[in-house]
Amino acid sequence: MQLEGTVKTITFRNPQNGYSVLKVAVAGHKGNVTFTGLTPDIAEGERVIVTGEWTEHPKFGKQFSMTACEVQAPDTNEAMIHYLSGPQFPGIGPKMAEQIVSKFGDNLANVIANESERLLEIKGFNPIKLLKFIGNWETAQDSREVQLFLYENEIVGKTAKELIKAYGKSTALIVKENPFVLCDARFEVPFPKADGIAKRLGFKADAEERIEAAITYSLVLASQSGHVFAPKHMLFEKTFRVLGFMSSDEYIYQRISMAYATLIANEKIVEEDGNVWLPKLLKAENAIAKFVRERASRTKTKLNPNAMEELQRFEQKQGFEFDEHQRQGIIEAMQSKFTVLTGGPGTGKTTMLRGIMQLAGLQKEKTLLAAPTGRAAKRMKEVCKREALTIHRLLAVDPATGAFTKNNDNPISAALLIVDEFSMVDTELCAALFEAIPWSCRVLLVGDADQLPSVGPGNILRELLEAEHVHKIRLQRIFRQVGENDIATKADAINHGHLPAPIDGRNFHFIPYNTDSQGEALLFDTISRIVPETMKLDLFQDLQILVPMRKGPFGTMELNKKLQKLLNPNGTGIAIAGTEWKVGDRVMQLQNNYDKNIFNGDIGFITSISKDAKKFDADFDGRILEFSGEDINELALAYASTVHKAQGSEYPAVVMVLDTSHNRMLRRNLLYTAVTRAKGHVWILAAPGALDSAVRNFQDVQRFTKLKEKIDGEGDCDFRISNKQ
């Protein structure tokens, strides 16, 4: 079925995927009709011809669901006024638009193209403003044709904008010549989608462009699984699967080999000793190894002669004594140019850090503290009583480019840099951090190697701990006494592959369930009754529900909807892109936003909502930030979080759900990481056998890296596998 009409209001548009909700004036229909579906970039006042069918929304009633949308130029004076006063023409308000249309009418396009100086007759235009208006008009006309081509190939939203920004008028031509340019990292189009476009354009299955893109895509997939490189034979096997051919096909093997050689020659990929790298990852890992080797070879820094006496005074002031291993570690960390400190909860890492900072203060050294996430930096600040920055803030991101402004030419200023939760730092971020550290600065990296490794490629902390030439301090003794908080001892048991015995303790609690419905009921009872009866806390600020996955009956996507109804039933709300947002909601930032200076994993709370403007404000650690349009798509409800997203954070209370639907994620390091997020109490809700499976499952997800060998100078060795634990 086909309808056409004039867009009166854009109720919603998701800039990421092009999904739109439009109010459209359609001849023969009383009032405006609601159109929903994917559209190219569209402006109020433009006409649309759409194909689709009528649907009935349970909340919003009758709607027209679009399967195709063709955008036409405004065809009435009223529509043109609406169009010209839209956001694509800044500075042209409704009154000025009305003057333009009243004077030039249907001849406006011809006037702009051939007699643009006549527009100066309109009150409010001057030569500079006129040039801007003409430029915006031409951009709108040029991008319309390109947008329609991209839309026809299901490329919309942010990706379409990035393509037009890169290639301008030539976008359609370039994509037609080689649709696999879409796989470039700037555009983030996955190979299967670009491949579908190529097939529609008539590209053959053995086309060189297709095979080159499949090789690069296979290498990107490896990095997304945590690998810094891929062995060549594995890369070829993966490429066969991506292309959809049998690995026994000799002709395709020859075609892959030829494309592989071309990529090598063009420096799109790099081969070393039978291993294949994306150039940026090879460069990053080499830079990390060089940084560590050079500092490992430096002579030790001289310590203040009064250091031991100062340490003793600090012990007396704090009311405790360092054990000999801690005391020796503090001295070594103050003398070494590069040190790694590792240990589980309760082993005294924080206590040692305070001692190190005390001695640094004695020597009047400038000390900087940093951590990978906002939550981790906040916790570091709380325990160390000093300001702590995220690594991104430390490196000063340029909002315009996303690049770090701190580097070799503009290093950070410090005598001592301490970075906590270093297990979360991946290869590229580590290389950027090390590049910004001057020779005069000592480095102390702190982390628990038994937690989950970084989401990005590499296993930096574990590789550093395994490298022979890295100075390291391992803390293993748990200082918390029997009768006090037992989370650390239970976590230690889990880390060694044992079910805690007894499984229930003072602060560690276990609640089994048999069915999904029983598990959900127990979860809600734990949150609403058991937790408040056990400890005094703010359920919004102090409690975190953790699960292994986003999807499934006990994934964050489903749980957050239900937990919102439980914990925030009466908040003022607004529905945007399928999510109900309410005042008071706990929300999480899902990606770095340099303009707002908030980062992946930061937690905020919605403070106010504007339904008319379809926006809301949220409080992120005392900063009130506005979210609308594309910004909202970077947020998610955060009553429940995955363990990966919570890493680096610490909460007074944690409720962890382990369900059989999580089977592929039930691993020891994930459970250990979740349990160690709690500093007050932790409740484990588990389906039959789920806790036991998680404790026993030490199956390593292997990561390819050569960092340890490069640090130790074993350049000729075969590739090695670093294990996630």
Side-chain angles (χ1 to χ4, degrees), residues 226-274:
H227 304 300
V228 185
F229 66 86
K232 182 178 178 180
H233 69 280
M234 290 187 180
L235 179 62
F236 271 44
E237 289 172 5
K238 181 65 176 177
T239 303
F240 269 105
R241 292 195 294 273
V242 167
L243 290 169
F245 290 108
M246 299 291 291
S247 58
S248 56
D249 190 321
E250 281 294 326
Y251 170 72
I252 296 301
Y253 180 83
Q254 293 299 323
R255 296 290 291 167
I256 292 175
S257 297
M258 291 170 60
Y260 178 83
T262 300
L263 290 171
I264 293 286
N266 292 332
E267 299 182 347
K268 297 290 182 65
I269 60 176
V270 181
E271 180 182 340
E272 282 190 356
D273 302 323

Short mmCIF file of all heavy atoms in Angstrom, two decimals, residues 226-274:
data_model
loop_
_atom_site.label_atom_id
_atom_site.label_comp_id
_atom_site.label_asym_id
_atom_site.label_seq_id
_atom_site.Cartn_x
_atom_site.Cartn_y
_atom_site.Cartn_z
N GLY A 226 39.53 -10.10 21.31
CA GLY A 226 40.62 -9.89 22.26
C GLY A 226 42.01 -10.18 21.73
O GLY A 226 43.00 -10.00 22.44
N HIS A 227 42.10 -10.63 20.48
CA HIS A 227 43.41 -10.98 19.92
C HIS A 227 44.12 -9.74 19.37
O HIS A 227 43.49 -8.87 18.77
CB HIS A 227 43.26 -12.00 18.79
CG HIS A 227 42.54 -13.24 19.20
ND1 HIS A 227 43.00 -14.07 20.20
CD2 HIS A 227 41.38 -13.80 18.75
CE1 HIS A 227 42.16 -15.08 20.34
NE2 HIS A 227 41.17 -14.94 19.49
N VAL A 228 45.42 -9.70 19.56
CA VAL A 228 46.21 -8.60 19.00
C VAL A 228 46.64 -8.94 17.57
O VAL A 228 46.88 -8.05 16.77
CB VAL A 228 47.44 -8.31 19.89
CG1 VAL A 228 48.20 -7.09 19.38
CG2 VAL A 228 47.01 -8.07 21.33
N PHE A 229 46.71 -10.21 17.26
CA PHE A 229 47.03 -10.65 15.90
C PHE A 229 46.32 -11.98 15.66
O PHE A 229 45.68 -12.54 16.57
CB PHE A 229 48.54 -10.81 15.70
CG PHE A 229 49.16 -11.92 16.52
CD1 PHE A 229 49.17 -13.22 16.07
CD2 PHE A 229 49.73 -11.65 17.76
CE1 PHE A 229 49.74 -14.24 16.83
CE2 PHE A 229 50.29 -12.65 18.53
CZ PHE A 229 50.30 -13.96 18.06
N ALA A 230 46.44 -12.50 14.44
CA ALA A 230 45.90 -13.82 14.11
C ALA A 230 46.97 -14.60 13.36
O ALA A 230 47.59 -14.06 12.44
CB ALA A 230 44.64 -13.70 13.27
N PRO A 231 47.21 -15.87 13.73
CA PRO A 231 48.10 -16.70 12.91
C PRO A 231 47.55 -16.77 11.48
O PRO A 231 46.34 -16.83 11.27
CB PRO A 231 48.03 -18.07 13.59
CG PRO A 231 47.63 -17.76 15.00
CD PRO A 231 46.71 -16.58 14.91
N LYS A 232 48.44 -16.77 10.51
CA LYS A 232 48.03 -16.68 9.11
C LYS A 232 47.06 -17.79 8.73
O LYS A 232 46.05 -17.55 8.06
CB LYS A 232 49.26 -16.71 8.20
CG LYS A 232 48.92 -16.57 6.72
CD LYS A 232 50.18 -16.56 5.86
CE LYS A 232 49.82 -16.47 4.39
NZ LYS A 232 51.05 -16.47 3.53
N HIS A 233 47.35 -19.03 9.15
CA HIS A 233 46.49 -20.14 8.74
C HIS A 233 45.08 -19.99 9.32
O HIS A 233 44.08 -20.32 8.67
CB HIS A 233 47.10 -21.49 9.14
CG HIS A 233 47.12 -21.75 10.61
ND1 HIS A 233 48.08 -21.21 11.46
CD2 HIS A 233 46.28 -22.48 11.40
CE1 HIS A 233 47.85 -21.61 12.70
NE2 HIS A 233 46.76 -22.37 12.70
N MET A 234 44.99 -19.47 10.54
CA MET A 234 43.67 -19.24 11.14
C MET A 234 42.94 -18.10 10.43
O MET A 234 41.72 -18.14 10.26
CB MET A 234 43.82 -18.92 12.63
CG MET A 234 44.24 -20.08 13.47
SD MET A 234 44.17 -19.66 15.24
CE MET A 234 44.72 -21.22 15.96
N LEU A 235 43.68 -17.07 10.03
CA LEU A 235 43.09 -15.95 9.31
C LEU A 235 42.51 -16.44 7.98
O LEU A 235 41.40 -16.05 7.60
CB LEU A 235 44.13 -14.87 9.06
CG LEU A 235 43.65 -13.64 8.28
CD1 LEU A 235 42.54 -12.91 9.04
CD2 LEU A 235 44.82 -12.70 7.99
N PHE A 236 43.24 -17.29 7.29
CA PHE A 236 42.75 -17.82 6.01
C PHE A 236 41.50 -18.67 6.24
O PHE A 236 40.53 -18.60 5.47
CB PHE A 236 43.84 -18.64 5.32
CG PHE A 236 44.74 -17.82 4.42
CD1 PHE A 236 45.22 -16.59 4.83
CD2 PHE A 236 45.09 -18.27 3.17
CE1 PHE A 236 46.04 -15.83 4.02
CE2 PHE A 236 45.91 -17.52 2.34
CZ PHE A 236 46.38 -16.30 2.76
N GLU A 237 41.50 -19.50 7.29
CA GLU A 237 40.33 -20.33 7.58
C GLU A 237 39.11 -19.46 7.85
O GLU A 237 38.00 -19.75 7.37
CB GLU A 237 40.62 -21.23 8.79
CG GLU A 237 41.61 -22.35 8.51
CD GLU A 237 42.01 -23.08 9.77
OE1 GLU A 237 41.45 -22.78 10.85
OE2 GLU A 237 42.90 -23.96 9.69
N LYS A 238 39.30 -18.40 8.62
CA LYS A 238 38.20 -17.50 8.93
C LYS A 238 37.73 -16.79 7.66
O LYS A 238 36.51 -16.60 7.45
CB LYS A 238 38.64 -16.47 9.98
CG LYS A 238 37.54 -15.49 10.39
CD LYS A 238 36.40 -16.19 11.09
CE LYS A 238 35.36 -15.20 11.58
NZ LYS A 238 34.20 -15.88 12.21
N THR A 239 38.65 -16.40 6.80
CA THR A 239 38.29 -15.72 5.57
C THR A 239 37.44 -16.61 4.67
O THR A 239 36.46 -16.15 4.06
CB THR A 239 39.55 -15.24 4.82
OG1 THR A 239 40.32 -14.40 5.68
CG2 THR A 239 39.18 -14.48 3.56
N PHE A 240 37.78 -17.89 4.58
CA PHE A 240 36.96 -18.84 3.82
C PHE A 240 35.53 -18.83 4.34
O PHE A 240 34.57 -18.80 3.56
CB PHE A 240 37.54 -20.25 3.92
CG PHE A 240 38.52 -20.60 2.83
CD1 PHE A 240 39.88 -20.64 3.10
CD2 PHE A 240 38.09 -20.89 1.55
CE1 PHE A 240 40.79 -20.97 2.10
CE2 PHE A 240 38.99 -21.21 0.54
CZ PHE A 240 40.34 -21.25 0.82
N ARG A 241 35.37 -18.87 5.66
CA ARG A 241 34.03 -18.91 6.25
C ARG A 241 33.26 -17.62 5.98
O ARG A 241 32.06 -17.64 5.69
CB ARG A 241 34.11 -19.17 7.76
CG ARG A 241 34.62 -20.57 8.10
CD ARG A 241 34.34 -20.92 9.55
NE ARG A 241 35.07 -20.09 10.48
CZ ARG A 241 36.31 -20.34 10.92
NH1 ARG A 241 36.95 -21.43 10.48
NH2 ARG A 241 36.89 -19.54 11.79
N VAL A 242 33.95 -16.47 6.10
CA VAL A 242 33.31 -15.19 5.84
C VAL A 242 32.83 -15.10 4.39
O VAL A 242 31.73 -14.60 4.10
CB VAL A 242 34.28 -14.03 6.17
CG1 VAL A 242 33.75 -12.70 5.62
CG2 VAL A 242 34.49 -13.92 7.68
N LEU A 243 33.64 -15.62 3.47
CA LEU A 243 33.30 -15.57 2.05
C LEU A 243 32.24 -16.60 1.67
O LEU A 243 31.59 -16.49 0.63
CB LEU A 243 34.55 -15.80 1.19
CG LEU A 243 35.60 -14.69 1.20
CD1 LEU A 243 36.88 -15.16 0.54
CD2 LEU A 243 35.06 -13.44 0.51
N GLY A 244 32.09 -17.64 2.51
CA GLY A 244 31.10 -18.67 2.22
C GLY A 244 31.60 -19.77 1.31
O GLY A 244 30.80 -20.43 0.64
N PHE A 245 32.92 -19.99 1.30
CA PHE A 245 33.51 -21.05 0.49
C PHE A 245 34.09 -22.15 1.37
O PHE A 245 34.46 -21.91 2.52
CB PHE A 245 34.62 -20.50 -0.41
CG PHE A 245 34.14 -19.61 -1.52
CD1 PHE A 245 34.36 -18.25 -1.47
CD2 PHE A 245 33.46 -20.14 -2.61
CE1 PHE A 245 33.92 -17.42 -2.49
CE2 PHE A 245 33.01 -19.31 -3.63
CZ PHE A 245 33.24 -17.95 -3.57
N MET A 246 34.21 -23.34 0.80
CA MET A 246 34.87 -24.45 1.49
C MET A 246 36.37 -24.21 1.49
O MET A 246 36.94 -23.75 0.49
CB MET A 246 34.56 -25.78 0.80
CG MET A 246 33.08 -26.14 0.77
SD MET A 246 32.48 -26.53 2.43
CE MET A 246 33.33 -28.09 2.72
N SER A 247 37.02 -24.54 2.59
CA SER A 247 38.47 -24.31 2.69
C SER A 247 39.27 -25.20 1.74
O SER A 247 40.46 -24.97 1.53
CB SER A 247 38.94 -24.54 4.13
OG SER A 247 38.62 -25.84 4.56
N SER A 248 38.61 -26.20 1.15
CA SER A 248 39.30 -27.10 0.21
C SER A 248 39.29 -26.55 -1.22
O SER A 248 39.88 -27.16 -2.12
CB SER A 248 38.63 -28.48 0.22
OG SER A 248 37.24 -28.36 -0.08
N ASP A 249 38.64 -25.41 -1.43
CA ASP A 249 38.53 -24.82 -2.77
C ASP A 249 39.87 -24.18 -3.15
O ASP A 249 40.22 -23.10 -2.67
CB ASP A 249 37.41 -23.77 -2.78
CG ASP A 249 37.06 -23.29 -4.18
OD1 ASP A 249 37.99 -23.13 -5.00
OD2 ASP A 249 35.87 -23.06 -4.45
N GLU A 250 40.61 -24.88 -4.04
CA GLU A 250 41.95 -24.42 -4.41
C GLU A 250 41.92 -23.08 -5.14
O GLU A 250 42.79 -22.23 -4.93
CB GLU A 250 42.64 -25.48 -5.29
CG GLU A 250 43.21 -26.64 -4.52
CD GLU A 250 44.36 -26.21 -3.61
OE1 GLU A 250 45.11 -25.28 -3.98
OE2 GLU A 250 44.49 -26.78 -2.51
N TYR A 251 40.91 -22.90 -6.00
CA TYR A 251 40.83 -21.64 -6.75
C TYR A 251 40.66 -20.46 -5.78
O TYR A 251 41.35 -19.44 -5.91
CB TYR A 251 39.68 -21.69 -7.74
CG TYR A 251 39.38 -20.36 -8.38
CD1 TYR A 251 40.24 -19.81 -9.33
CD2 TYR A 251 38.24 -19.63 -8.01
CE1 TYR A 251 39.96 -18.57 -9.91
CE2 TYR A 251 37.97 -18.39 -8.58
CZ TYR A 251 38.83 -17.87 -9.53
OH TYR A 251 38.57 -16.64 -10.09
N ILE A 252 39.75 -20.59 -4.83
CA ILE A 252 39.52 -19.51 -3.87
C ILE A 252 40.75 -19.30 -2.99
O ILE A 252 41.09 -18.16 -2.63
CB ILE A 252 38.27 -19.79 -3.02
CG1 ILE A 252 37.03 -19.80 -3.90
CG2 ILE A 252 38.10 -18.75 -1.91
CD1 ILE A 252 36.78 -18.50 -4.65
N TYR A 253 41.45 -20.39 -2.66
CA TYR A 253 42.68 -20.25 -1.87
C TYR A 253 43.68 -19.37 -2.63
O TYR A 253 44.33 -18.50 -2.03
CB TYR A 253 43.29 -21.61 -1.58
CG TYR A 253 44.57 -21.52 -0.77
CD1 TYR A 253 44.54 -21.41 0.62
CD2 TYR A 253 45.81 -21.51 -1.41
CE1 TYR A 253 45.70 -21.28 1.36
CE2 TYR A 253 46.99 -21.39 -0.67
CZ TYR A 253 46.93 -21.28 0.71
OH TYR A 253 48.08 -21.15 1.44
N GLN A 254 43.80 -19.59 -3.94
CA GLN A 254 44.71 -18.78 -4.73
C GLN A 254 44.25 -17.31 -4.77
O GLN A 254 45.06 -16.39 -4.68
CB GLN A 254 44.80 -19.33 -6.17
CG GLN A 254 45.46 -20.69 -6.26
CD GLN A 254 46.90 -20.67 -5.76
OE1 GLN A 254 47.63 -19.70 -5.97
NE2 GLN A 254 47.32 -21.75 -5.11
N ARG A 255 42.93 -17.11 -4.88
CA ARG A 255 42.39 -15.74 -4.89
C ARG A 255 42.65 -15.04 -3.55
O ARG A 255 43.00 -13.86 -3.52
CB ARG A 255 40.89 -15.78 -5.20
CG ARG A 255 40.54 -16.30 -6.58
CD ARG A 255 40.95 -15.36 -7.67
NE ARG A 255 40.15 -14.14 -7.67
CZ ARG A 255 40.44 -13.04 -8.36
NH1 ARG A 255 41.55 -12.99 -9.10
NH2 ARG A 255 39.65 -11.98 -8.30
N ILE A 256 42.48 -15.78 -2.46
CA ILE A 256 42.75 -15.21 -1.13
C ILE A 256 44.23 -14.87 -1.01
O ILE A 256 44.60 -13.80 -0.48
CB ILE A 256 42.30 -16.18 -0.02
CG1 ILE A 256 40.78 -16.31 0.00
CG2 ILE A 256 42.80 -15.70 1.35
CD1 ILE A 256 40.26 -17.34 0.99
N SER A 257 45.10 -15.75 -1.49
CA SER A 257 46.54 -15.52 -1.41
C SER A 257 46.93 -14.27 -2.18
O SER A 257 47.77 -13.47 -1.73
CB SER A 257 47.30 -16.74 -1.95
OG SER A 257 47.05 -17.88 -1.16
N MET A 258 46.33 -14.07 -3.36
CA MET A 258 46.63 -12.89 -4.16
C MET A 258 46.14 -11.62 -3.46
O MET A 258 46.87 -10.61 -3.40
CB MET A 258 45.98 -13.02 -5.54
CG MET A 258 46.59 -14.10 -6.43
SD MET A 258 45.60 -14.40 -7.92
CE MET A 258 45.63 -12.78 -8.68
N ALA A 259 44.93 -11.67 -2.92
CA ALA A 259 44.40 -10.50 -2.21
C ALA A 259 45.21 -10.21 -0.96
O ALA A 259 45.47 -9.04 -0.62
CB ALA A 259 42.93 -10.74 -1.85
N TYR A 260 45.64 -11.25 -0.30
CA TYR A 260 46.46 -11.12 0.91
C TYR A 260 47.78 -10.40 0.56
O TYR A 260 48.21 -9.48 1.28
CB TYR A 260 46.73 -12.51 1.48
CG TYR A 260 47.62 -12.55 2.70
CD1 TYR A 260 47.11 -12.32 3.97
CD2 TYR A 260 48.99 -12.84 2.58
CE1 TYR A 260 47.91 -12.38 5.10
CE2 TYR A 260 49.80 -12.89 3.70
CZ TYR A 260 49.26 -12.66 4.95
OH TYR A 260 50.07 -12.72 6.06
N ALA A 261 48.40 -10.82 -0.54
CA ALA A 261 49.66 -10.19 -0.97
C ALA A 261 49.46 -8.71 -1.29
O ALA A 261 50.31 -7.87 -0.98
CB ALA A 261 50.22 -10.93 -2.19
N THR A 262 48.32 -8.39 -1.90
CA THR A 262 48.02 -6.98 -2.21
C THR A 262 47.88 -6.16 -0.94
O THR A 262 48.39 -5.04 -0.84
CB THR A 262 46.73 -6.88 -3.04
OG1 THR A 262 46.89 -7.62 -4.26
CG2 THR A 262 46.39 -5.43 -3.35
N LEU A 263 47.18 -6.70 0.05
CA LEU A 263 47.01 -6.00 1.32
C LEU A 263 48.34 -5.79 2.02
O LEU A 263 48.59 -4.73 2.61
CB LEU A 263 46.06 -6.78 2.23
CG LEU A 263 44.59 -6.81 1.81
CD1 LEU A 263 43.81 -7.80 2.67
CD2 LEU A 263 43.97 -5.41 1.94
N ILE A 264 49.21 -6.78 1.96
CA ILE A 264 50.55 -6.65 2.54
C ILE A 264 51.33 -5.55 1.81
O ILE A 264 51.94 -4.66 2.44
CB ILE A 264 51.33 -7.98 2.44
CG1 ILE A 264 50.69 -9.06 3.33
CG2 ILE A 264 52.80 -7.78 2.80
CD1 ILE A 264 50.91 -8.89 4.80
N ALA A 265 51.29 -5.58 0.48
CA ALA A 265 52.03 -4.59 -0.31
C ALA A 265 51.52 -3.17 -0.04
O ALA A 265 52.31 -2.22 -0.04
CB ALA A 265 51.90 -4.92 -1.80
N ASN A 266 50.23 -3.04 0.19
CA ASN A 266 49.64 -1.72 0.44
C ASN A 266 49.65 -1.34 1.92
O ASN A 266 49.07 -0.32 2.31
CB ASN A 266 48.20 -1.68 -0.09
CG ASN A 266 48.14 -1.76 -1.60
OD1 ASN A 266 49.07 -1.34 -2.29
ND2 ASN A 266 47.05 -2.29 -2.13
N GLU A 267 50.31 -2.18 2.73
CA GLU A 267 50.47 -1.94 4.17
C GLU A 267 49.13 -1.82 4.91
O GLU A 267 49.02 -1.12 5.91
CB GLU A 267 51.33 -0.69 4.41
CG GLU A 267 52.73 -0.83 3.83
CD GLU A 267 53.60 0.38 4.11
OE1 GLU A 267 53.06 1.43 4.54
OE2 GLU A 267 54.83 0.28 3.93
N LYS A 268 48.12 -2.52 4.38
CA LYS A 268 46.83 -2.56 5.07
C LYS A 268 46.88 -3.58 6.21
O LYS A 268 46.14 -3.46 7.19
CB LYS A 268 45.72 -2.94 4.10
CG LYS A 268 45.51 -1.92 2.98
CD LYS A 268 44.92 -0.64 3.51
CE LYS A 268 44.65 0.37 2.40
NZ LYS A 268 43.62 -0.09 1.45
N ILE A 269 47.72 -4.60 6.07
CA ILE A 269 47.98 -5.59 7.11
C ILE A 269 49.48 -5.86 7.14
O ILE A 269 50.20 -5.52 6.20
CB ILE A 269 47.20 -6.91 6.89
CG1 ILE A 269 47.59 -7.55 5.55
CG2 ILE A 269 45.69 -6.66 6.95
CD1 ILE A 269 46.94 -8.90 5.30
N VAL A 270 49.95 -6.46 8.21
CA VAL A 270 51.39 -6.73 8.37
C VAL A 270 51.57 -8.18 8.79
O VAL A 270 50.83 -8.68 9.66
CB VAL A 270 52.03 -5.81 9.42
CG1 VAL A 270 53.53 -6.09 9.56
CG2 VAL A 270 51.78 -4.34 9.08
N GLU A 271 52.55 -8.86 8.19
CA GLU A 271 52.86 -10.24 8.60
C GLU A 271 54.23 -10.28 9.25
O GLU A 271 55.20 -9.71 8.73
CB GLU A 271 52.84 -11.19 7.41
CG GLU A 271 53.16 -12.63 7.81
CD GLU A 271 53.19 -13.61 6.64
OE1 GLU A 271 52.61 -13.29 5.58
OE2 GLU A 271 53.82 -14.67 6.78
N GLU A 272 54.30 -10.94 10.41
CA GLU A 272 55.57 -11.19 11.10
C GLU A 272 55.58 -12.63 11.61
O GLU A 272 54.70 -13.02 12.37
CB GLU A 272 55.75 -10.23 12.29
CG GLU A 272 56.18 -8.84 11.93
CD GLU A 272 56.57 -8.03 13.15
OE1 GLU A 272 56.42 -8.54 14.29
OE2 GLU A 272 57.01 -6.88 12.99
N ASP A 273 56.57 -13.40 11.19
CA ASP A 273 56.74 -14.77 11.67
C ASP A 273 55.45 -15.59 11.56
O ASP A 273 55.09 -16.36 12.46
CB ASP A 273 57.20 -14.77 13.13
CG ASP A 273 58.50 -14.00 13.33
OD1 ASP A 273 59.36 -14.09 12.43
OD2 ASP A 273 58.63 -13.31 14.35
N GLY A 274 54.74 -15.43 10.45
CA GLY A 274 53.54 -16.23 10.23
C GLY A 274 52.31 -15.72 10.95
O GLY A 274 51.26 -16.39 10.94
#
